[in-house]
Every structure is written in structure tokens, then in C-alpha cells.
Amino acid sequence: HATIRSRVVSDLRFTLGWGSNDLSSVSDGRTIQVLDAFTSGGAQERGRQQYRNIGIENDLEFTVRQKHQVTVGVSLDGAHYRGDQYSNASGTYQFSSLASFEAGQPTTFIQRVGDPTYAYSMSHFGWHIQDDYRVGRKVLLNLGLRHDFQTHMRDWKNFAPRLGISWSPSSKARTTLRAGMGTFHVPLEAGMYQQLLLVDGVQQHDLVISNPGFPDPFSEGQRLAVPPSIIRARPDLVMPFTTRYTVGVDQPINKLVRFRATWSRQTGHNLFRSRNANSPIDGVRPNPSIANITELETTARSLNESLQTELLVNFPPRRLSASLNYVLGRAMNETDWAFSLPPDSFDLSGEWGPARGDVRHRVNVGLNT
């Protein structure tokens, strides 16, 4: 943290991190899944994950004509990952019912085979500029622009404008009105890219046997084509983003009580989701040598709307504070997970619906002393 020529403040941050995660199961025995009944056997998870990351960020703050508080910053974040995590290496039996389990007649045996080792790097870059403009004694205007891009994605045109305004119409009433809008980009996560590397049908794939033998799955049954399923990404992936609009009011009622209310609407665009690129047509797959092709794309949408109200009480002489928070909201989307497949990969119009986090009413009460 340094001052340059008495007018520019430089805030430089540097981070260096490393770590490892070792995973092992109590048992690596084969897993047994009986639909609508139970799951038993080994967890079949073992291996090591290691990472190293480095981050550099620098912000410059300066004032222009005593009305503009300007911040300009750049950031770089890079990481390297490697590991050899095994999953379902011994295989999993699937039974359709308890009766089929008692009869020793599984429907499917699935085993992940191949090389689980991986090593890859991922970097994020960004720069931003923000101007806090004091229009007058009652109005503060916030103007900003951010640009983000990363490796493993060809989309570099990720400009995110930000706009905010605060207005205090009366110093006596001490009311503050706020409004703002902004765009925020969502990068491709390291775990998602790792799945694209590991389940590509070459390094790892799932061995599937229909009507296998039990307890020896290879004694009978039909071994499906190898590889039965793969995960890949479309070449035209773009960075997902959300646009958020907010309007709020902050009103002190007296020296002890304060009321706040905020309405927000957030829409998601170009979100990650997948479809089966090898879905059967009239019962026949376009590529008969492969079962499912989980193809990652950026075409999903989401919507979150909420009205949040908050009543705060603060009594410093007794070191007592309390809060009452109520939120009315809804959440809609077209996908809950990037690699989940829809029932109909040819028609995605029916995927719009309530999200997993769709909760109509939330109430939180807190007391601290």
C-alpha cells in the first residue's frame, strides 16, 4: 500500500497458494444400488489432487477535481492442477427392485476404466475502472466498466458495465434512495474443465454391461460398445453472465432503529448446460458406437427476483443488536447443473421452471449481545 506523488494511492496484492487433498474409501468393494431401496458396498474413491495458484492484483486510486474518485485496476490469477483420482474403479451393480436383487438378477453393471491422471493449467485475466462522481451534496453517481477473459474459452468480448446512484433528498429525514444495474461474468470452473479432460472417451470411459452375471459381471450379459458415454464441449462456448437491477431505500427511524428495503431482479444469460448429442432418433443413435455424448453448451437462462426487507435495532450502551429479515422471492432456470441431461435433447423449451433454490418466503431473526 503506497502513495505516489501524494495524489495516487497504489494497492498491490500478491497471493501464492498450494495444497493437496488425499482421498480414500473404507472399502473399494463393488457398489450395489437397488432402486427405491438401498445402496451398499464400497465408495470407491481414492487418489490425490494437488494445486498451485498465484494471483496478482493492483488498484490505483486518485481524485480528479475533487468530485471524481477514480479507481483503475488489473488482475491476473493462474493455477495448475494435477491428480489421479479414481472413481467407481471396481464397478457398480444396478438392480431394478428388491425382488431382482434377491434373485441375483442385476440390470446393469457400470465400471469406469482407463487412466485417471490429469494435469492442466487455467488462468483468468481482468481489468476494471470505476468513477465515484459526487454530483452534489445529495447525489453520488457510480460508473464502472470491467473486462474479463480466461484460457480454454475463445470468447474475449466480456465487457461488463456497472451503474449506480445514491440520492439523499432530505438531510433532516436522513433517507437514502439507491438504484443500480450491473453485468457480472461467470468463468469456466476448474472442476468442469477437468471433467471434459477425464471423460473424453479416450483417457477414461464407462464400461457398461447389460444383464450382467452376479457376482461375476463378466460371466454373462451383453457388453455394450466402448466407450458408452463421453463428455465434450461445443467449440462456440462463451462466458456466461448475469445482469442485476436493484432499487432500495435506507431509512433511520430513530437513534436505535433502522429500516431497509431492496428489490432486485437478476437474469442469467448463456449459462452452462448440456444436451445429449447422440440422442436416439426413431430408436437409433446417430453414432451407434457411443451411448451418450454429453455436450456442454452455453445457451441456458435463469431469473431471480426478490424483495428484501430488514429491520435493525442497535443499542450500544448494552452492546445489544437485533435484526428481523424477510425475503419474498422466486428463482427460475433452465438447468440446475452444467452436465445434467434433459429428457428431450431435441426440444429444450420445456426445461424452464422453478430452480432448486426456489423458496418463496424466508425469515431470519438474529439477536446479539
Side-chain angles (χ1 to χ4, degrees):
H1 190 79
T3 302
I4 304 174
R5 294 185 179 180
S6 72
R7 291 192 176 187
V8 180
V9 177
S10 174
D11 191 3
L12 175 65
R13 291 175 292 277
F14 172 79
T15 60
L16 178 66
W18 62 93
S20 63
N21 178 26
D22 293 292
L23 188 65
S24 63
S25 302
V26 175
S27 171
D28 287 329
R30 285 174 175 155
T31 304
I32 295 177
Q33 294 179 346
V34 181
L35 298 183
D36 300 325
F38 66 89
T39 298
S40 65
Q44 304 185 57
E45 298 282 351
R46 58 187 172 91
R48 161 171 280 201
Q49 296 176 322
Q50 295 176 298
Y51 75 89
R52 298 192 307 270
N53 72 280
I54 183 173
I56 301 175
E57 185 174 359
N58 189 31
D59 288 337
L60 298 177
E61 302 177 3
F62 54 92
T63 303
V64 179
R65 295 181 180 179
Q66 298 183 346
K67 290 187 176 183
H68 298 268
Q69 183 68 37
V70 181
T71 303
V72 180
V74 294
S75 62
L76 167 64
D77 184 16
H80 180 76
Y81 305 88
R82 66 175 182 170
D84 58 351
Q85 184 173 339
Y86 290 81
S87 177
N88 197 30
S90 302
T92 298
Y93 276 108
Q94 293 181 343
F95 295 84
S96 60
S97 63
L98 275 173
S100 63
F101 170 70
E102 293 171 353
Q105 297 176 342
T107 57
T108 310
F109 177 79
I110 303 176
Q111 183 180 15
R112 180 158 292 185
V113 297
D115 183 8
T117 60
Y118 63 87
Y120 64 94
S121 299
M122 180 171 286
S123 300
H124 298 84
F125 310 89
W127 63 267
H128 67 274
I129 181 171
Q130 179 169 324
D131 180 13
D132 298 330
Y133 175 35
R134 174 67 65 178
V135 180
R137 296 181 59 185
K138 298 181 179 180
V139 179
L140 177 63
L141 193 62
N142 308 108
L143 302 172
L145 178 66
R146 184 175 179 88
H147 181 209
D148 294 282
F149 51 97
Q150 68 173 117
T151 55
H152 308 298
M153 296 192 74
R154 300 179 182 179
D155 178 32
W156 289 47
K157 302 176 183 179
N158 308 309
F159 292 94
R162 318 279 173 87
L163 172 64
I165 184 172
S166 300
W167 179 38
S168 301
S170 172
S171 58
K172 183 177 180 180
R174 295 183 298 168
T175 303
T176 302
L177 303 176
R178 297 184 178 91
M181 65 83 59
T183 301
F184 308 88
H185 285 89
V186 182
L188 174 68
E189 297 179 356
M192 294 173 57
Y193 184 73
Q194 181 177 316
Q195 286 296 309
L196 296 174
L197 291 178
L198 291 178
V199 195
D200 60 354
V202 178
Q203 184 166 345
Q204 273 194 316
H205 62 270
D206 288 334
L207 169 67
V208 180
I209 300 179
S210 178
N211 300 316
F214 184 76
D216 181 8
F218 303 99
S219 61
E220 56 183 285
Q222 180 183 3
R223 179 169 171 168
L224 302 183
V226 178
S229 61
I230 64 175
I231 299 177
R232 71 185 186 190
R234 289 179 58 91
D236 57 351
L237 289 182
V238 297
M239 188 176 289
F241 69 93
T242 60
T243 302
R244 181 179 175 86
Y245 302 89
T246 60
V247 177
V249 58
D250 189 333
Q251 177 63 63
I253 298 177
N254 52 42
K255 294 182 178 180
L256 303 180
V257 183
R258 177 183 293 270
F259 173 77
R260 293 172 180 166
T262 304
W263 171 85
S264 66
R265 175 185 173 89
Q266 179 173 298
T267 56
H269 308 271
N270 300 335
L271 303 182
F272 290 111
R273 71 172 169 188
S274 298
R275 73 173 76 201
N276 188 0
N278 201 35
S279 187
I281 303 176
D282 296 329
V284 180
R285 295 185 182 274
N287 188 345
S289 64
I290 300 176
N292 292 334
I293 300 178
T294 302
E295 189 170 64
L296 183 67
E297 59 184 47
T298 48
T299 58
R301 302 169 298 152
S302 68
L303 171 66
N304 289 269
E305 290 183 309
S306 67
L307 175 62
Q308 177 175 330
T309 59
E310 188 174 23
L311 193 64
L312 303 172
V313 179
N314 188 21
F315 188 50
R318 295 294 183 181
R319 287 182 277 186
L320 174 68
S321 62
S323 64
L324 172 62
N325 182 281
Y326 167 70
V327 181
L328 172 66
R330 66 168 181 153
M332 308 284 287
N333 66 17
E334 289 181 315
T335 177
D336 283 318
W337 185 49
F339 294 118
S340 60
L341 292 177
D344 187 355
S345 292
F346 299 104
D347 183 10
L348 302 180
S349 60
E351 293 304 297
W352 181 258
R356 291 183 181 271
D358 181 42
V359 177
R360 200 67 61 242
H361 307 278
R362 297 178 187 267
V363 177
N364 293 281
V365 179
L367 178 64
N368 184 63
T369 182

